[in-house]
Amino acid sequence: MKIYHPFARSLVTVRSWPFFIDLGVAFCGLALFFCVLNTARYWMTTATPVIPISHSISALPMYAVYSVVRIGIAYLLSLVFAIAYGYTAVYNPRIEGWMVAVLDILQSIPVLSFLPPIVLAMVSLIPGRQLGIELAVIFLIFTGQVWNLAFSFYSSLKSIPKEMTEASRIYRYSPWQRFWQLEMPYAAIGLVWNSIVSVAGGWFALMLCEMFTMGDRNFQLPGLGSYMQSAAESGDITALFSGIGVVVLIVVATDQLVWRPLIVWSDKFKFEQVESADRATSPILELLRRSRLSLLPGQLWARIEEPVYRRLAHTRACQVVEPIDDDSSKRKGAVLFWALVVAIVIAGAWAVMQALVMLRTVSWADLRGLLAGALATFLRVNAALLISAVWTIPAGVAIGFNQRLARIVQPVAQVLASVPASAFYPVLLLGLMKIGGGLGIGSVALMLLGTQWYILFNVIAGAMSIPSDLKEVTRLYGFTRYQRWTRLILPGIFPYLITGMVTASGGAWNASVMAEYAHVKTGIIQTVGLGAEISSATDAGKFPIILLATILISLMVVTMNRLIWRRLYRLAETRYKLEG
């Protein structure tokens, strides 16, 4: 005799969920595998610098695969580099100042300045294969993604509370344990939010990297960037908006499948003593937690991690609490420092000699034009920076403090940040010309499209990282709005705000190459500025002009770094550092 329970059917359905979730995860893994396999086959074909771009909508899926693979590989390289660079800078005080200055210079140099040496080097290293050109494009996208991640990780390590660092020493953590159990968790929130804006920067760089001219050589690769740029130059509005629509779909899917789960996951690393009642949620993360396949990497990592920790526990570093001022570590650091100095001096001397030979061809007229352009672009960059800060600080705090608002606004902001602003430049330029604003002033508005998101996403990350117990204290003591901003909000977001301002400055310098110089259907529109000088020199193959413009940008960035940003970073790690 069979007995039917009223909840038996629902129980079977609930128990069958893990199977369907595992099936979905397996299908996603297979799709990713075949995308990478198909891309690898294309990369190993004979080198073809110029591939005809079809404006057919049926070509968009394959173009989307190529572009997503390029951005994904560039992002992974950026993440590894950012962590290694930030860690090295923090734990080597002798070279820390130099590394931060170099990072500030590199993130301010436009992508087009990296274009000639990277393309020529990669094509020479892998001759006869499409892989060489593809690697060059990936490295160019890398230069548009990596710098804000490096600044975020460096800033997070510098702002770790002192008592937590001392606790790791007292409990005899090895460097490996300290990295995975203290430093990476503390930096997780900033890395996740900067990853969003970093990938958005990759989409911005896509139109510059997939289709470009270098002297008498043209490069044109299949992808969404070249598709949109080709459509914009030919005036095919239907194809242009079709490409933008595909980018929006990819960004929305990435937000729901990747960034939203990572934001919810990273929320557990918030440094607080009272758990917040308002937590972010992600249906995708909940489904993945029920999947047995998604748990396998964590189980494998645990099996690898535990034996490593047991072996490290028997080392001298984990058995003896080393003093902070250890003479042996100082001597070792001094040897490494001087070895690095010698290597840098030798490399620098060779580079200076090569640069002097190349700059001998620059005329006084070219130099005067570059100096005037440097002043004009410098003023535009700082104007864009101030305008961006005016609205992004209050908006970012509001989003970071309100999870309901964040669930609505964050995907919209990510879509707006990820859609290549350069795709709208032809339309915006025509509008500016019709209203009579001119490109000189209008280029500031165009720079905002590539600048404001760095500040916004960093402010959101800073607001979300403020402990909930501190927020409760301000409510209990009846702080006014002015007191909350001056005593809690601004000090709490200050390290993140400085990181956002520094990276936004670099974003503005990068955006200048398209904001001050543009190809439209009627010809070329440009204004006075270093970005215009670099773009026109790239088209004409005038490498000495590109080099001198890059040197001028570096000098201005170093000056700003020493006078402003370094002092603000020092203030962030001393006065506005969260302590217990």
Side-chain angles (χ1 to χ4, degrees):
M1 181 177 178
K2 295 182 179 179
I3 301 175
Y4 292 94
H5 194 277
F7 298 105
R9 190 168 183 177
S10 62
L11 185 62
V12 172
T13 304
V14 171
R15 287 180 176 176
S16 63
W17 263 109
F19 171 76
F20 292 107
I21 296 172
D22 290 343
L23 195 62
V25 172
F27 278 135
C28 290
L30 283 175
L32 180 63
F33 171 76
F34 283 114
C35 285
V36 174
L37 183 63
N38 184 67
T39 306
R41 285 176 179 171
Y42 159 65
W43 286 0
M44 296 310 296
T45 58
T46 305
T48 308
V50 179
I51 297 177
I53 302 299
S54 171
H55 288 183
S56 172
I57 296 178
S58 61
L60 281 173
M62 186 54 65
Y63 289 170
V65 169
Y66 289 147
S67 294
V68 168
V69 170
R70 291 178 189 124
I71 290 178
I73 295 175
Y75 168 72
L76 293 177
L77 292 174
S78 300
L79 187 62
V80 173
F81 177 88
I83 293 174
Y85 196 94
Y87 193 90
T88 304
V90 169
Y91 287 101
N92 292 274
R94 290 175 178 269
I95 59 174
E96 179 182 0
W98 291 93
M99 292 185 71
V100 173
V102 169
L103 190 65
D104 197 9
I105 293 171
L106 291 175
Q107 63 106 18
S108 301
I109 296 175
V111 173
L112 289 181
S113 294
F114 292 105
L115 191 148
I118 289 178
V119 171
L120 294 175
M122 289 299 165
V123 172
S124 300
L125 286 174
I126 312 175
R129 295 291 179 184
Q130 192 70 19
L131 179 61
I133 304 174
E134 289 288 340
L135 287 180
V137 172
I138 289 172
F139 272 102
L140 289 172
I141 298 173
F142 165 87
T143 62
Q145 289 184 331
V146 65
W147 318 120
N148 62 301
L149 286 173
F151 270 114
S152 173
F153 190 71
Y154 167 80
S155 179
S156 296
L157 292 189
K158 295 294 289 186
S159 60
I160 293 177
K162 187 177 179 180
E163 67 271 14
M164 296 182 71
T165 305
E166 291 177 346
S168 69
R169 290 183 59 254
I170 292 172
Y171 285 101
R172 301 171 185 175
Y173 275 24
S174 66
W176 177 262
Q177 287 175 296
R178 186 181 66 237
F179 177 76
W180 285 111
Q181 297 185 3
L182 173 61
E183 292 161 347
M184 280 300 292
Y186 196 84
I189 295 177
L191 281 178
V192 169
W193 283 96
N194 273 280
S195 293
I196 297 175
V197 73
S198 183
V199 172
W203 284 109
F204 183 88
L206 204 65
M207 287 184 68
L208 290 172
C209 301
E210 289 185 346
M211 183 176 176
F212 57 89
T213 300
M214 191 174 66
D216 57 349
R217 302 180 65 181
N218 293 326
F219 293 89
Q220 186 172 282
L221 302 179
L224 288 176
S226 55
Y227 181 91
M228 288 186 290
Q229 186 172 347
S230 175
E233 290 183 358
S234 63
D236 192 342
I237 302 300
T238 303
L240 175 61
F241 281 99
S242 298
I244 293 174
V246 172
V247 173
V248 171
L249 289 176
I250 293 173
V251 170
V252 172
T254 306
D255 173 72
Q256 294 301 314
L257 297 176
V258 180
W259 301 131
R260 175 56 51 180
L262 283 175
I263 289 170
V264 175
W265 170 80
S266 66
D267 193 57
K268 67 181 180 180
F269 299 122
K270 185 184 292 185
F271 182 59
E272 60 184 0
Q273 297 177 352
V274 178
E275 185 177 3
S276 174
D278 188 16
R279 289 288 186 185
T281 58
S282 170
I284 299 298
L285 183 61
E286 292 301 322
L287 290 176
L288 289 175
R289 283 171 174 167
R290 297 180 184 180
S291 171
R292 287 165 293 191
L293 286 178
S294 62
L295 294 177
L296 286 178
Q299 293 173 352
L300 291 174
W301 175 252
R303 291 185 178 182
I304 296 172
E305 189 180 38
E306 286 303 322
V308 172
Y309 284 164
R310 285 196 217 101
R311 178 166 293 186
L312 288 174
H314 297 288
T315 62
R316 185 177 183 276
C318 292
Q319 291 179 347
V320 178
V321 179
E322 298 288 349
I324 296 176
D325 298 324
D326 186 18
D327 292 336
S328 62
S329 62
K330 280 187 175 182
R331 286 194 298 269
K332 188 184 296 184
V335 172
L336 293 175
F337 171 74
W338 287 113
L340 184 61
V341 167
V342 172
I344 291 175
V345 168
I346 295 173
W350 178 83
V352 168
M353 291 175 62
Q354 297 296 319
L356 290 175
V357 172
M358 185 178 291
L359 293 177
R360 289 174 61 185
T361 60
V362 177
S363 64
W364 285 106
D366 293 333
L367 181 59
R368 285 195 297 270
L370 287 172
L371 292 175
L375 178 61
T377 304
F378 178 79
L379 294 176
R380 293 190 191 107
V381 165
N382 287 282
L385 205 62
L386 293 176
I387 295 171
S388 299
V390 167
W391 79 269
T392 54
I393 293 175
V397 170
I399 296 170
F401 274 27
N402 190 327
Q403 288 294 340
R404 292 182 180 178
L405 182 63
R407 282 192 290 269
I408 298 171
V409 177
Q410 182 261 324
V412 176
Q414 187 192 340
V415 169
L416 294 175
S418 299
V419 175
S422 46
F424 295 108
Y425 277 8
V427 179
L428 294 174
L429 287 171
L430 292 176
L432 288 170
M433 295 302 159
K434 286 184 178 181
I435 63 176
L439 193 58
I441 299 175
S443 57
V444 177
L446 297 176
M447 284 183 184
L448 287 173
L449 298 177
T451 300
Q452 54 198 356
W453 310 113
Y454 291 97
I455 304 177
L456 177 65
F457 283 99
N458 273 282
V459 171
I460 293 174
M464 292 184 69
S465 67
I466 295 177
S468 300
D469 45 353
L470 294 183
K471 299 176 187 176
E472 294 295 332
V473 167
T474 60
R475 294 192 189 99
L476 289 174
Y477 283 94
F479 277 27
T480 63
R481 181 173 296 181
Y482 175 78
Q483 288 175 320
R484 288 190 74 203
W485 272 92
T486 55
R487 304 289 179 84
L488 173 66
I489 297 174
L490 288 177
I493 68 171
F494 191 77
Y496 294 86
L497 177 61
I498 298 306
T499 299
M501 295 285 282
V502 172
T503 53
S505 175
W509 282 108
N510 265 288
S512 67
V513 297
M514 297 196 74
E516 298 173 348
Y517 183 96
H519 292 273
V520 294
K521 192 174 182 180
T522 56
I524 295 174
I525 303 175
Q526 69 179 90
T527 186
V528 177
L530 273 186
E533 295 287 345
I534 291 174
S535 296
S536 61
T538 302
D539 284 350
K542 296 180 179 178
F543 300 139
I545 299 295
I546 298 174
L547 176 61
L548 186 55
T550 304
I551 291 172
L552 289 175
I553 292 176
S554 302
L555 291 175
M556 288 187 288
V557 168
V558 168
T559 303
M560 289 290 291
N561 179 276
R562 294 194 65 85
L563 295 180
I564 297 176
W565 301 127
R566 182 180 293 185
R567 297 181 181 184
L568 290 177
Y569 265 119
R570 181 69 63 183
L571 189 65
E573 69 183 70
T574 54
R575 184 172 180 179
Y576 297 118
K577 186 175 182 179
L578 185 63
E579 302 284 1

